[in-house]
Amino acid sequence: MKNKGTARMVLSILVSVLLVFGIIGTAVLCFACSAADSPDYLKGRLEKCGTAGSVYNDLMKKYDELSVQTSVPADVYKSAVSERWVSDAVFSQVDYIFALMEDENAQPSADYSAFDEKITEYFEQYAAEKHVIKDDIYNQRLQASVDNARSVTASVIDVFHFETVRKTSLWPATVKYRPLLNTLRTYAFIADAVLLVLLIVFGSPVYWTGVSLFSAGLISAAPSAYVLASGLIMKFTIKDYTVFTLITETLKSIVNSALVFGSVSLIAGVILITVSVIYVRKLNK
């Protein structure tokens, strides 16, 4: 009987350890699924950080720089956009990247036609005033100015640098494995359920589940608390202030979520362990 009890204890410990990783893995997969299933999470981060307003200000500065390079007045570029247009374009960029993961032929919904109109008006007015001949060189310069304005605007609006990611090997892997996240989450829940059943079979399921929850909570909460307390996230070096704010605030949000999960798991673990110990003591009286 003693050997049998010892074997059950060892098995309970092993299952409890596996359940720790099962709990953490399930939590990670739940978060990943919520972020990957729809653009809502990323849009929420954009709204929380006030990214659209920062992008608009960045664009105004970019147009001033572009004006020096092209001799086209900055007001011409600025007249093609509004704060509302920039906000819609920033959010639609997120929709576009999610649409691309479903259909590689998806097209961005942001409308850049105002650049064609405003820059063409300026060129025509300039040509009329300076008696410039509208030859091939004129048309080439006009088209180059329009393309340049579109390119600069699209680059600033792409705050998550999706276009850069698309050129790396990470993109095809993301498209390929994203649909598997929900399946993996389901398997994770099933694995956790199986481990809980095993704890019931081996005895003292409440105690060992509490130990697993406590351990998972500690593993999640302790590093998260350290990262937030030490300001480690703010030590990232990103030159673009808008991107820096968005990335760091998103990372803070993720770490905060891990801290909340860890704290709840840790408290739940303490409660289950306490209840189990009290129950066992009452039985032994």
Side-chain angles (χ1 to χ4, degrees):
M1 289 292 293
K2 187 175 181 180
N3 290 336
K4 189 176 180 180
T6 302
R8 284 192 172 189
M9 174 75 73
V10 172
L11 289 172
S12 294
I13 292 173
L14 291 175
V15 172
S16 180
V17 171
L18 290 176
L19 186 57
V20 170
F21 294 104
I23 292 169
I24 294 174
T26 302
V28 170
L29 285 169
C30 285
F31 175 81
C33 286
S34 68
D37 279 347
S38 77
D40 292 342
Y41 175 76
L42 293 182
K43 284 184 175 181
R45 300 318 309 161
L46 291 172
E47 188 172 356
K48 183 79 173 178
C49 298
T51 304
S54 298
V55 169
Y56 179 80
N57 293 332
D58 290 343
L59 275 174
M60 297 302 103
K61 295 175 184 177
K62 284 289 184 181
Y63 293 150
D64 288 333
E65 296 172 4
L66 191 59
S67 176
V68 175
Q69 299 170 11
T70 62
S71 298
V72 176
D75 288 341
V76 174
Y77 299 119
K78 293 176 181 180
S79 65
V81 300
S82 64
E83 289 189 56
R84 180 63 183 177
W85 182 89
V86 170
S87 178
D88 290 343
V90 168
F91 282 90
S92 69
Q93 182 71 10
V94 180
D95 289 324
Y96 167 55
I97 206 67
F98 272 80
L100 271 177
M101 286 191 277
E102 301 294 339
D103 179 8
E104 61 181 13
N105 296 316
Q107 296 297 321
S109 59
D111 182 9
Y112 292 86
S113 60
F115 289 102
D116 302 59
E117 178 186 343
K118 298 297 182 180
I119 296 174
T120 299
E121 284 180 3
Y122 169 74
F123 267 71
E124 289 181 347
Q125 182 181 354
Y126 182 86
E129 292 175 355
K130 303 297 182 180
H131 307 290
V132 175
I133 299 173
K134 295 182 180 180
D135 54 9
D136 290 341
I137 295 177
Y138 169 90
N139 291 325
Q140 288 173 6
R141 288 180 176 174
L142 171 58
Q143 189 59 49
S145 296
V146 171
D147 291 343
N148 206 8
R150 283 171 168 258
S151 176
V152 168
T153 304
S155 177
V156 175
I157 284 173
D158 186 16
V159 289
F160 285 109
H161 293 278
F162 286 134
E163 291 302 325
T164 301
V165 173
R166 285 183 64 196
K167 297 174 184 177
T168 68
S169 58
L170 181 62
W171 176 251
T174 301
V175 174
K176 180 179 179 180
Y177 294 112
R178 174 174 165 260
L180 296 177
L181 284 175
N182 286 318
T183 303
L184 289 174
R185 180 178 60 180
T186 301
Y187 286 152
F189 276 118
I190 293 173
D192 291 342
V194 170
L195 292 172
L196 287 172
V197 170
L198 288 175
L199 286 178
I200 293 172
V201 171
F202 297 144
S204 302
V206 176
Y207 176 81
W208 290 111
T209 301
V211 170
S212 296
L213 284 169
F214 180 87
S215 302
L218 193 62
I219 291 172
S220 300
S224 301
Y226 172 77
V227 169
L228 292 174
S230 65
L232 192 63
I233 292 174
M234 301 306 293
K235 295 178 182 179
F236 279 91
T237 304
I238 302 175
K239 293 182 179 180
D240 190 317
Y241 177 76
T242 300
V243 176
F244 171 80
T245 302
L246 180 60
I247 296 299
T248 53
E249 289 301 318
T250 299
L251 289 174
K252 282 183 182 179
S253 172
I254 294 172
V255 175
N256 271 317
S257 297
L259 179 60
V260 171
F261 162 75
S263 300
V264 171
S265 180
L266 195 150
I267 292 171
V270 170
I271 292 173
L272 289 180
I273 292 171
T274 303
V275 169
S276 178
V277 170
I278 292 174
Y279 178 73
V280 170
R281 285 182 177 179
K282 283 186 176 181
L283 285 180
N284 293 333
K285 283 184 179 180

